[in-house]
Amino acid sequence: MIHAATKCARAAAAAATIRGRAIPVRRSLVRYATPLRLIHGEISVPNANHVAIQMVNYALSHARSQRSDETYAQGMLVLEQCLGNQASDDQVSQDSKATVLLAMSDLLYESGNSSEAIERLKQVMSLTLSSLSIRVVAVEALVGLLIQSGQDDASLNVADEFLELVKERGHENLQDVAATAKTIKGLTELVKGSIESAESLFQGLENHEICKGSNIALSYGEFLHATGKFEMAKEMYQKAIQGVTETKDSMSSCNMNLKAVSLAATFALGQLESHIGNFGDAEETLTSALTSAEEHYGHNHPKVGVILTGIALMYRNKAKQERSSSIMIQEEVMALARGGED
């Protein structure tokens, strides 16, 4: 893992390696991408069957109690039984089904099975009587996983279809949902390199009340970061982190829940500090992200390697500016890795 991080550091002087995707940044060419997002938290849906919610939260809690193959399999069995109990096709039943499917996607993604997680999220999208708020959660997670797996066209199609659905439902009460749908669409355009299209979708978002929320602030921050508006991006990342600490209950899934957004925003903020030459702040922030990832995933998880790569790139930038030896970079990264294993 250390060798891979150091090798990547040699390959690029400044990079934001989050999902391994390259997006040019105005003012300087920087590898940039959509965020690293993890999984955490229970699911709470007002319209879902109370027993279903209890079973879902038990399954999530049990699966994560040891984070072993056995506990994940047992959690999935509980969820499969719960899904089979939702027989009717009214809104309450479909909301309950959607809740179970979101939980399934969480556990599948968390245990490393992204392809099956994607299929469960697609099933949520097929529940046409389910609440729009639930489908927003599914779309956010689905688009994130499709981007992460390199399926850019598929992610764009999902975002397009959902934005059209929201427009068809046009109503004052859906303004927040519409803003979220535009943000999701903007993120897919950004990943594909369509900066102007993304800009039109993100335009005016800084004045929208929903931008105080963690997910929206993170996505907007990513857009600002990719377009070289670093000070505004920094503000959005800080809003995202603060939004997580101020939010008690939030329905989310896979790589778009509160814990995930907090880590993603912290990591992105550390990378941004590195890009603008604030290496002291960058080191502190990236180390915080590394600690959080290790606590959640364990020291050997690939996402820990992603953050180590970001730290290696930060040291590479610092060494280049200070004309330091590349050996120093390896020593710094290895010291961090050893510290995490102690």
Side-chain angles (χ1 to χ4, degrees), residues 291-308:
T291 301
S292 180
E294 287 177 331
E295 288 176 352
H296 188 76
Y297 277 104
H299 304 306
N300 296 321
H301 195 278
K303 292 192 184 301
V304 173
V306 171
I307 298 177
L308 280 171

Side-chain angles (χ1 to χ4, degrees), residues 44-102:
S44 176
V45 187
N47 292 334
N49 179 284
H50 179 66
V51 175
I53 293 176
Q54 285 186 322
M55 291 183 72
V56 163
N57 286 331
Y58 169 77
L60 291 174
S61 176
H62 179 73
R64 292 164 177 163
S65 63
Q66 297 181 27
R67 298 188 182 277
S68 65
D69 291 343
E70 183 178 3
T71 58
Y72 278 122
Q74 290 169 347
M76 285 296 293
L77 282 175
V78 173
L79 294 174
E80 286 168 4
Q81 180 182 357
C82 185
L83 186 64
N85 293 339
Q86 314 306 317
S88 60
D89 276 329
D90 55 16
Q91 183 177 1
V92 171
S93 180
Q94 289 210 356
D95 279 354
S96 299
K97 288 179 181 178
T99 303
V100 177
L101 289 166
L102 287 173

